[in-house]
Structure formats: C-alpha cells, structure tokens
Amino acid sequence: DKVGFFIDLFLNQFPMPEFFNMAMMGRLANVKQLASDNPDLINQTCNGMTPIFIAAMFGQATVVEFLLEKGAQLMPSLITQKE
C-alpha cells in the first residue's frame, strides 16, 4: 500500500529507534507498552523529530491522541527550550 511504501522510503532515509517506528506505523499497543516501560520515550527526539510529530506526519491519529494524553510535545524546541 502507499503508506507502507512511504514508511519504508522514510526509514531508509532516516533510521529511527523502535518507539518511533511503532508510532509511525500506528501500532498503538506497541507504543503503549514501550511508553509504559520507559515514559521518557514520549518526548525523545531523533533527527530533530518527536514520536508525536512522526505519528501525525503519517496520519496515525490514535497514536497521536495517546501521546497527547501522555504529555507529548510536538516540537523538540518546546522540550529543550529553557526560560
């Protein structure tokens, strides 16, 4: 399918950790388990992107909703910026 093709293409250009891959593919059960095991993954960055950014980019609404409920930030600058 088209989404699978774009995911494969994206991952070839930007290899990412498992949590990002699961968010990108919309695997909510895996995202929940990984986040439960390590809550810091919610706002981890990779290649300047967060898991919620990746999930949103690939239209994974249920993953986006879950990550928002867990306090995910869309942009890395919101995570690292200090006042």
Side-chain angles (χ1 to χ4, degrees), residues 16-58:
M16 299 198 165
E18 181 182 19
F19 190 73
F20 286 81
N21 294 341
M22 295 299 109
M24 182 187 313
M25 291 185 272
R27 299 218 174 126
L28 183 59
N30 297 89
V31 169
K32 285 181 175 182
Q33 182 61 52
L34 290 166
S36 173
D37 293 345
N38 185 355
D40 291 337
L41 291 175
I42 298 288
N43 285 314
Q44 181 181 36
T45 59
C46 181
N47 296 319
M49 297 174 272
T50 59
I52 195 170
F53 179 87
I54 294 294
M57 188 166 75
F58 283 91

Side-chain angles (χ1 to χ4, degrees), residues 66-77:
F66 170 76
L67 293 172
L68 283 171
E69 289 171 6
K70 294 297 181 183
Q73 297 291 320
L74 184 59
M75 300 299 295
S77 62

